[in-house]
Amino acid sequence: MIAAKVIDNIWATRKADSLRGLKFMLVEVLGGIDAGRSMIAADTIGAGIGERVLVCTGSSARKMLDRDDVPIDAVIVGIIDEDCTF
């Protein structure tokens, strides 16, 4: 898992049918060798802009959606409490 901060919403008016109903967020990786790197993650828990989140990547991300046919590589799976620091 990766710790990240939600930067913005991603709006896609046209997308593959398997992605319909999914909300996408732009997140920035916190800490580690990828610190500062941006990625797009599907939001399964209703995270908001400015919140620090846990992001699951790879095949584990697809399993969070219970569908192996979805082309997803990153999913927001948790919101980090405000009193946690990096």
Side-chain angles (χ1 to χ4, degrees):
M1 278 195 273
I2 297 168
K5 182 177 180 179
V6 178
I7 303 300
D8 207 348
N9 294 303
I10 297 291
W11 298 98
T13 55
R14 298 178 76 183
K15 54 190 169 188
D17 288 342
S18 62
L19 298 176
R20 284 198 182 154
L22 292 175
K23 177 182 168 189
F24 295 102
M25 305 296 275
L26 180 65
V27 301
E28 182 179 317
V29 176
L30 301 173
I33 61 172
D34 289 329
R37 182 177 146 232
S38 296
M39 68 171 71
I40 297 171
D43 182 12
T44 61
I45 59 170
I49 295 172
E51 290 189 294
R52 291 178 296 163
V53 294
L54 296 174
V55 178
C56 187
T57 59
S59 62
S60 297
R62 283 187 300 281
K63 289 182 183 188
M64 285 300 303
L65 301 174
D66 290 326
R67 294 176 50 201
D68 286 333
D69 64 333
V70 179
I72 294 290
D73 191 47
V75 174
I76 297 171
V77 296
I79 296 174
I80 298 172
D81 294 334
E82 284 299 315
D83 59 352
C84 295
T85 58
F86 285 92

